[in-house]
Protein backbone atom coordinates (compact mmCIF):
# COMPACT_ATOMS: atom_id res chain seq x y z
CA UNK A 1 0.00 0.00 0.00
CA UNK A 2 2.93 2.35 0.55
CA UNK A 3 3.69 2.21 -3.16
CA UNK A 4 0.21 3.35 -4.16
CA UNK A 5 0.78 7.04 -3.22
CA UNK A 6 4.15 6.92 -5.00
CA UNK A 7 2.51 5.58 -8.16
CA UNK A 8 -0.08 8.34 -7.96
CA UNK A 9 2.65 10.99 -7.71
CA UNK A 10 4.50 9.49 -10.68
CA UNK A 11 1.33 9.42 -12.79
CA UNK A 12 0.52 13.04 -11.89
CA UNK A 13 4.09 14.06 -12.70
CA UNK A 14 3.96 12.27 -16.07
CA UNK A 15 0.65 13.96 -16.97
CA UNK A 16 2.00 17.38 -16.00
CA UNK A 17 5.11 16.83 -18.12
CA UNK A 18 2.95 15.93 -21.11
CA UNK A 19 0.85 19.05 -20.63
CA UNK A 20 3.94 21.23 -20.40
CA UNK A 21 5.51 19.50 -23.41
CA UNK A 22 2.40 19.91 -25.57
CA UNK A 23 2.02 23.49 -24.38
CA UNK A 24 5.61 24.34 -25.38
CA UNK A 25 5.25 22.82 -28.85
CA UNK A 26 1.83 24.41 -29.37
CA UNK A 27 3.23 27.83 -28.45
CA UNK A 28 6.15 27.34 -30.83
CA UNK A 29 3.89 26.24 -33.67
CA UNK A 30 1.54 29.15 -32.95
CA UNK A 31 4.50 31.57 -32.98
CA UNK A 32 5.39 30.37 -36.47
CA UNK A 33 1.85 30.21 -37.81
CA UNK A 34 1.03 33.74 -36.63
CA UNK A 35 3.49 34.91 -39.29
CA UNK A 36 1.74 32.97 -42.09
CA UNK A 37 -1.30 34.03 -44.13
CA UNK A 38 -2.87 30.55 -44.17
CA UNK A 39 -2.69 29.91 -40.43
CA UNK A 40 -4.97 26.86 -40.51
CA UNK A 41 -2.80 25.10 -43.10
CA UNK A 42 0.32 26.01 -41.12
CA UNK A 43 -1.03 24.65 -37.82
CA UNK A 44 -2.35 21.50 -39.48
CA UNK A 45 0.93 20.88 -41.32
CA UNK A 46 3.27 21.50 -38.39
CA UNK A 47 1.02 19.68 -35.92
CA UNK A 48 1.26 16.59 -38.12
CA UNK A 49 5.07 16.75 -38.30
CA UNK A 50 6.60 14.96 -35.27
CA UNK A 51 9.80 17.07 -35.08
CA UNK A 52 7.70 20.26 -34.89
CA UNK A 53 5.34 18.75 -32.32
CA UNK A 54 8.23 17.58 -30.15
CA UNK A 55 10.02 20.93 -30.31
CA UNK A 56 10.39 22.64 -26.95
CA UNK A 57 11.50 26.02 -28.32
CA UNK A 58 10.50 28.21 -31.23
CA UNK A 59 14.00 27.76 -32.66
CA UNK A 60 13.60 23.98 -32.66
CA UNK A 61 10.15 24.26 -34.24
CA UNK A 62 11.59 26.59 -36.86
CA UNK A 63 14.36 24.12 -37.64
CA UNK A 64 11.68 21.44 -37.96
CA UNK A 65 9.69 23.63 -40.38
CA UNK A 66 12.78 24.10 -42.53
CA UNK A 67 13.48 20.38 -42.39
CA UNK A 68 9.92 19.70 -43.55
CA UNK A 69 10.40 22.18 -46.40
CA UNK A 70 13.62 20.50 -47.51
CA UNK A 71 12.00 17.09 -47.38
CA UNK A 72 9.01 18.21 -49.42
CA UNK A 73 11.12 19.97 -52.07
CA UNK A 74 12.90 16.70 -52.79
CA UNK A 75 9.63 15.03 -53.78
CA UNK A 76 8.77 17.23 -56.79
CA UNK A 77 12.44 17.17 -57.81
CA UNK A 78 12.32 13.37 -57.93
CA UNK A 79 8.95 13.42 -59.70
CA UNK A 80 10.29 15.85 -62.34
CA UNK A 81 13.34 13.64 -62.91
CA UNK A 82 11.09 10.63 -63.47
CA UNK A 83 8.78 12.65 -65.75
CA UNK A 84 11.79 13.79 -67.81
CA UNK A 85 12.69 10.14 -68.47
CA UNK A 86 9.13 9.14 -69.30
CA UNK A 87 8.20 12.10 -71.52
CA UNK A 88 10.83 12.65 -74.22
CA UNK A 89 8.88 15.53 -75.77
CA UNK A 90 8.96 17.46 -72.50
CA UNK A 91 12.32 16.24 -71.24
CA UNK A 92 13.91 19.70 -71.32
CA UNK A 93 11.05 21.33 -69.38
CA UNK A 94 10.93 18.58 -66.75
CA UNK A 95 14.72 18.69 -66.35
CA UNK A 96 14.37 22.44 -65.78
CA UNK A 97 11.74 21.76 -63.11
CA UNK A 98 14.03 19.23 -61.44
CA UNK A 99 16.86 21.78 -61.39
CA UNK A 100 14.54 24.43 -59.96
CA UNK A 101 13.51 22.14 -57.12
CA UNK A 102 17.11 21.16 -56.45
CA UNK A 103 17.88 24.88 -56.20
CA UNK A 104 15.06 25.17 -53.65
CA UNK A 105 16.56 22.28 -51.66
CA UNK A 106 19.98 23.97 -51.67
CA UNK A 107 18.53 27.34 -50.61
CA UNK A 108 16.52 25.77 -47.81
CA UNK A 109 19.56 23.86 -46.53
CA UNK A 110 21.50 27.11 -46.56
CA UNK A 111 18.69 28.85 -44.66
CA UNK A 112 18.63 26.08 -42.08
CA UNK A 113 22.35 26.45 -41.50
CA UNK A 114 22.08 30.23 -41.16
CA UNK A 115 19.00 30.33 -38.96
CA UNK A 116 20.82 30.77 -35.67
CA UNK A 117 23.58 33.18 -36.71
CA UNK A 118 21.85 35.17 -39.43
CA UNK A 119 18.06 34.90 -39.59
CA UNK A 120 17.92 37.76 -42.11
CA UNK A 121 20.17 35.83 -44.51
CA UNK A 122 18.12 32.68 -43.91
CA UNK A 123 14.97 34.64 -44.73
CA UNK A 124 16.52 35.85 -47.98
CA UNK A 125 17.49 32.28 -48.92
CA UNK A 126 13.90 31.12 -48.51
CA UNK A 127 12.43 34.12 -50.32
CA UNK A 128 14.67 33.39 -53.33
CA UNK A 129 12.93 30.02 -53.61
CA UNK A 130 9.90 31.84 -54.99
CA UNK A 131 11.91 32.57 -58.14
CA UNK A 132 12.31 28.83 -58.65
CA UNK A 133 8.61 28.12 -58.17
CA UNK A 134 7.80 30.84 -60.70
CA UNK A 135 10.25 29.23 -63.12
CA UNK A 136 8.58 25.82 -62.72
CA UNK A 137 5.15 27.27 -63.41
CA UNK A 138 6.43 29.02 -66.53
CA UNK A 139 8.14 25.83 -67.76
CA UNK A 140 5.13 23.48 -67.49
CA UNK A 141 2.17 25.55 -66.33
CA UNK A 142 0.55 25.74 -69.77
CA UNK A 143 0.97 22.03 -70.53
CA UNK A 144 -2.09 19.79 -70.51
CA UNK A 145 -0.38 16.48 -69.70
CA UNK A 146 -0.87 14.84 -66.30
CA UNK A 147 2.80 15.03 -65.28
CA UNK A 148 2.90 18.79 -65.88
CA UNK A 149 -0.32 19.29 -63.92
CA UNK A 150 1.10 17.21 -61.08
CA UNK A 151 4.28 19.28 -60.99
CA UNK A 152 2.25 22.51 -60.98
CA UNK A 153 0.16 21.20 -58.06
CA UNK A 154 3.33 20.18 -56.21
CA UNK A 155 4.70 23.66 -56.90
CA UNK A 156 1.61 25.31 -55.44
CA UNK A 157 2.02 23.15 -52.33
CA UNK A 158 5.71 24.07 -52.21
CA UNK A 159 4.71 27.75 -52.15
CA UNK A 160 2.47 27.12 -49.13
CA UNK A 161 5.27 25.25 -47.38
CA UNK A 162 7.73 28.03 -48.22
CA UNK A 163 5.34 30.46 -46.50
CA UNK A 164 5.65 28.30 -43.38
CA UNK A 165 9.45 28.37 -43.71
CA UNK A 166 9.38 32.17 -43.93
CA UNK A 167 7.08 32.30 -40.89
CA UNK A 168 9.50 30.03 -39.03
CA UNK A 169 12.43 32.28 -39.75
CA UNK A 170 10.49 35.39 -38.84
CA UNK A 171 9.43 33.76 -35.57
CA UNK A 172 13.12 33.34 -34.73
CA UNK A 173 13.88 36.94 -35.66
CA UNK A 174 14.58 37.02 -39.38
Amino acid sequence: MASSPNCFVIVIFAVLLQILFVSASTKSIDAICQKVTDKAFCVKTLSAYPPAVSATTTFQASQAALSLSISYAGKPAAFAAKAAKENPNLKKQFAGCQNAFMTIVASLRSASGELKESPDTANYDVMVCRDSTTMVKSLVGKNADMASKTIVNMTLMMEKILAIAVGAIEAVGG
Side-chain angles (χ1 to χ4, degrees):
M1 283 215 180
S3 67
S4 182
N6 289 338
C7 288
F8 180 73
V9 170
I10 291 171
V11 168
I12 294 295
F13 184 69
V15 169
L16 287 175
L17 279 177
Q18 282 184 326
I19 290 170
L20 290 173
F21 184 68
V22 170
S23 177
S25 67
T26 301
K27 286 181 184 178
S28 297
I29 289 171
D30 286 345
I32 292 168
C33 294
Q34 290 303 315
K35 309 283 184 182
V36 177
T37 303
D38 190 346
K39 291 172 183 46
F41 173 77
C42 179
V43 169
K44 181 179 176 184
T45 301
L46 292 180
S47 295
Y49 189 56
V53 173
S54 65
T56 57
T57 67
T58 300
F59 181 80
Q60 289 173 350
S62 296
Q63 283 285 69
L66 287 170
S67 175
L68 173 67
S69 301
I70 293 165
S71 176
Y72 182 80
K75 290 172 182 25
F79 183 86
K82 182 179 176 193
K85 291 178 186 173
E86 295 174 355
N87 299 291
N89 293 340
L90 298 173
K91 183 176 183 171
K92 186 176 179 180
Q93 289 93 336
F94 289 135
C97 293
Q98 179 188 13
N99 290 337
F101 277 103
M102 293 311 295
T103 299
I104 291 171
V105 169
S107 292
L108 290 169
R109 283 187 178 143
S110 179
S112 182
E114 296 163 340
L115 184 59
K116 187 172 190 169
E117 298 299 321
S118 182
D120 288 336
T121 303
N123 197 359
Y124 175 80
D125 284 343
V126 174
M127 297 299 259
V128 169
C129 294
R130 300 247 183 221
D131 295 341
S132 294
T133 61
T134 300
M135 181 186 307
V136 169
K137 289 187 285 189
S138 71
L139 283 168
V140 297
K142 295 177 184 171
N143 297 349
D145 64 289
M146 190 53 111
S148 294
K149 289 180 180 184
T150 299
I151 290 176
V152 169
N153 286 334
M154 293 174 105
T155 302
L156 296 174
M157 180 60 73
M158 183 80 250
E159 290 175 342
K160 292 176 85 170
I161 292 172
L162 288 172
I164 294 172
V166 170
I169 293 168
E170 289 179 357
V172 170

